[in-house]
Amino acid sequence: MSGSSKAQQTINLEDMSLQQLQKIKTQLESEMDELTTAFTQMKQAQGAFRECKACIGMLRPENQDKTVLIPLSNSLYVPGKLSNIESVVVDVGTGYYVEKSAKDASGYYDGKIDYVQENAKKIQETVEQKQASYRGLLEIMQFKLTQLQRHQQQQQQQEGGSGAPAATSAA
């Protein structure tokens, strides 16, 4: 075996205390929150890439030389003319921009959409596994709580039954 492979360790949750189970529950909740946030971000990125691809689709001959609004910020625009429908400048990340043909840019965004979709699917599968583990953990915690309550009731009954004075009749 290679030194980088990890051996999985199986832990029997039924052997753990409620306090230990509560820590695991908190950890699972935190992991699910982080994964759900990552999934949401992936879906937002995918939407942004689809929007970019749709904009490339608007680069048709009938739109050449038309006046368009160019965003300077989220709420500030200036008018401009669509003079070149053959190429676009693509933000490829970390402040780098690349000029591409409209066809190449469309292919670039297809690849990004597919990549994000694959990662979102993996995240979703992981979330589903964590949710199943979480449900199982809650069942074990509920079982342990029920056992604890029964045990406490039995102790109270034993203490109440043996410590009570016997009733005497006055005749």
Side-chain angles (χ1 to χ4, degrees):
M1 273 198 215
S2 94
S4 64
S5 66
K6 293 182 180 179
Q8 284 193 334
Q9 183 179 7
T10 304
I11 299 171
N12 188 355
L13 295 177
E14 293 173 2
D15 294 338
M16 299 179 91
S17 70
L18 276 171
Q19 186 177 11
Q20 291 170 319
L21 292 173
Q22 182 61 40
K23 285 181 182 178
I24 292 172
K25 178 181 175 262
T26 302
Q27 180 181 350
L28 275 172
E29 288 169 342
S30 175
E31 289 173 5
M32 287 189 300
D33 286 346
E34 289 173 14
L35 287 167
T36 301
T37 299
F39 181 80
T40 301
Q41 291 170 342
M42 287 286 183
K43 286 300 189 181
Q44 289 171 343
Q46 188 178 40
F49 294 141
R50 283 188 172 137
E51 184 178 347
C52 289
K53 186 174 179 203
C55 288
I56 293 169
M58 299 299 292
L59 298 175
R60 296 186 299 257
E62 62 266 21
N63 291 332
Q64 189 160 352
D65 294 324
K66 284 196 176 176
T67 301
V68 294
L69 291 176
I70 301 169
L72 296 178
S73 71
N74 287 340
S75 60
L76 181 63
Y77 300 85
V78 294
K81 268 197 194 247
L82 190 57
S83 63
N84 180 355
I85 61 167
E86 301 298 323
S87 65
V88 294
V89 177
V90 177
D91 180 355
V92 294
T94 62
Y96 290 97
Y97 298 87
V98 176
E99 187 171 348
K100 291 182 174 281
S101 70
K103 181 180 177 184
D104 288 347
S106 183
Y108 171 81
Y109 285 116
D110 282 337
K112 287 291 211 179
I113 291 166
D114 291 344
Y115 176 77
V116 169
Q117 178 65 34
E118 288 174 24
N119 284 316
K121 184 178 178 184
K122 288 176 187 175
I123 291 172
Q124 185 176 8
E125 289 169 357
T126 303
V127 167
E128 289 170 0
Q129 291 170 353
K130 298 273 183 194
Q131 287 172 336
S133 297
Y134 185 77
R135 285 189 300 271
L137 177 67
L138 289 178
E139 287 176 16
I140 291 170
M141 289 178 75
Q142 184 62 44
F143 176 75
K144 284 189 165 279
L145 280 171
T146 303
Q147 278 185 323
L148 181 63
Q149 288 170 344
R150 284 184 186 150
H151 180 72
Q152 288 173 344
Q153 286 173 349
Q154 287 172 352
Q155 278 185 329
Q156 288 173 351
Q157 288 173 352
Q158 288 174 356
E159 290 172 2
S162 62
T168 57
S169 62

